[in-house]
């Protein structure tokens, strides 16, 4: 039987395996100790990512606490993704690219019109995906906080400016996250077509959970 290369090195048994279509939202619980692998199937695809504590979703991912805790802006292998209560929610245990972003934010219809012109107002955006995914669990706009952008390249230039530039990723590259508590993961497979974060061509990603 041919081995699926996307499963290589994953600990334990596969308990969930999904393809998230281009531009689509995704939500799934990940129990403490389980591993979530994100596969950038076609390369250069930004995966916007939020985490809520399953026991009480008032506890959620905090970019501020994560950056402060590790005294570094970038998310790398070994980074603990911290909550607004100062507790580790997930840990990046392996990454095929050197770093991921947590300062670039999520694209929205509003930011698109500001950056790219009013004709982009009707384009689908990550904030709409987060809202759609969260709606079934009673969360709304106030629950959308600063997020992680896996596979997105947001360098900080020498003068302190941010760029959104060509991705570091390539087809089949992965990032693995171990849950440190029972969490709910919410994803927007970024629909952005006005900057290079998705190589101007949004593509599907694969989400695999092992236990
Ligand atoms: Zn986006």
């Amino acid at each position: 039987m041919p081995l699926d290369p996307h499963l290589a090195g994953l600990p334990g048994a596969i308990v969930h395996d999904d393809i998230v279509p281009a531009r689509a939202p995704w939500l799934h619980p990940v129990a403490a100790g389980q591993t979530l692998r994100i596969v950038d199937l076609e390369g250069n695809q930004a995966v916007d990512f939020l985490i809520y504590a399953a026991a009480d979703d008032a506890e959620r991912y905090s970019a501020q606490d994560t950056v402060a805790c590790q005294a570094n802006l970038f998310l790398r292998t070994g980074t603990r993704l911290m909550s607004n209560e100062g507790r580790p929610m997930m840990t990046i245990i392996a990454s095929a690219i050197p770093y991921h972003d947590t300062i670039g934010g999520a694209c929205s219809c509003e930011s698109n019109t500001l950056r790219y012109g009013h004709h982009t107002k009707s384009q689908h955006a990550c904030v709409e995906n987060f809202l759609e995914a969260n709606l079934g669990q009673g969360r709304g706009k106030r629950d959308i906080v600063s997020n992680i952008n896996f596979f997105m390249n947001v360098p900080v230039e020498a003068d302190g400016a941010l760029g959104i530039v060509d991705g570091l990723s390539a087809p089949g590259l992965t990032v693995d996250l171990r849950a440190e508590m029972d969490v709910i993961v919410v994803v927007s497979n970024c629909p952005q077509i006005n900057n290079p974060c998705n190589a101007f061509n949004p593509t599907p990603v694969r989400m695999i959970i092992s236990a």
Side-chain angles (χ1 to χ4, degrees), residues 84-101:
N84 56 341
E85 306 284 346
R87 300 199 297 160
M89 304 188 86
M90 302 183 92
T91 301
I92 301 177
I93 56 172
S95 174
I97 67 168
Y99 63 87
H100 304 265
D101 167 72

Side-chain angles (χ1 to χ4, degrees), residues 135-155:
L135 198 61
Q137 297 190 339
R139 288 182 295 273
K141 267 193 170 171
R142 66 183 298 168
D143 301 302
I144 296 175
V145 293
S146 296
N147 59 292
I148 298 165
N149 293 302
F150 283 113
F151 302 113
M152 188 159 126
N153 187 14
V154 184

Side-chain angles (χ1 to χ4, degrees), residues 48 106-107 125-126 188 190-192 197-198:
D48 289 49
C107 64
C126 282
S188 165
C190 181
Q192 182 60 262
C197 71
N198 305 315

